[in-house]
Amino acid sequence: MTNMKVLKKTKQKPMLGDIFSFQILDGKFHWGRVVSLTANVGGFDNCVLIYIYETQTEDSDEIPALTTSDLLLPPIATNELPWKKGYFKLVDNMELKREDFLPVHCFKSVLRGTYFDDKGNQLDKAYEPCGINGLDSYRSIDDKISEAIGLELAPD
């Protein structure tokens, strides 16, 4: 069970530059973007690296401005299940420009207390926003989004 609603299941794999919407509150759509398909995070290769934005709209096809200054969460490494299960709905694909990326993708190893980039290289320090060095499922993404917007977590 999740707070996110099923919008449209697909067998199509996410692609670099994909812009997707998802719904967690009735009448409001949130937005995300695929920024890498080759991330190495937490020892997992070829992760889908996504940004989740704070911006909300009332229409699922009305793409708002998506900027790195408007991130709801640090970058998240995941797999294709959020799309296959229908939680993330592809809206458009737009070429990524330099300004669409954070300068550094940073992930903290909770076990070691060290920091890594999206290629698995150790960093000298934390760079904000800094995520967790591991692979997130659609359930853990749902929990992170719910916490960030002040919703109770979905029951297990």
Side-chain angles (χ1 to χ4, degrees), residues 13-99:
K13 294 180 181 227
M15 294 176 44
L16 190 64
D18 278 357
I19 297 171
F20 58 90
S21 65
F22 60 95
Q23 193 173 26
I24 201 162
L25 297 169
D26 289 334
K28 298 284 184 191
F29 291 88
H30 290 264
W31 294 89
R33 189 148 195 206
V34 176
V35 296
S36 177
L37 298 171
T38 58
N40 177 336
V41 179
F44 296 95
D45 292 326
N46 299 317
C47 297
V48 179
L49 190 64
I50 61 171
Y51 291 170
I52 300 291
Y53 300 91
E54 197 166 336
T55 302
Q56 300 175 37
T57 61
E58 293 180 10
D59 183 353
S60 69
D61 296 323
E62 169 194 329
I63 301 172
L66 302 174
T67 63
T68 56
S69 62
D70 191 39
L71 293 178
L72 179 66
L73 300 167
I76 294 172
T78 190
N79 53 30
E80 298 168 7
L81 282 179
W83 289 270
K84 287 182 177 179
K85 297 270 186 187
Y87 297 111
F88 291 169
K89 178 188 162 203
L90 173 65
V91 177
D92 201 354
N93 181 286
M94 294 183 183
E95 183 180 345
L96 289 158
K97 299 182 176 100
R98 188 175 181 185
E99 62 268 16

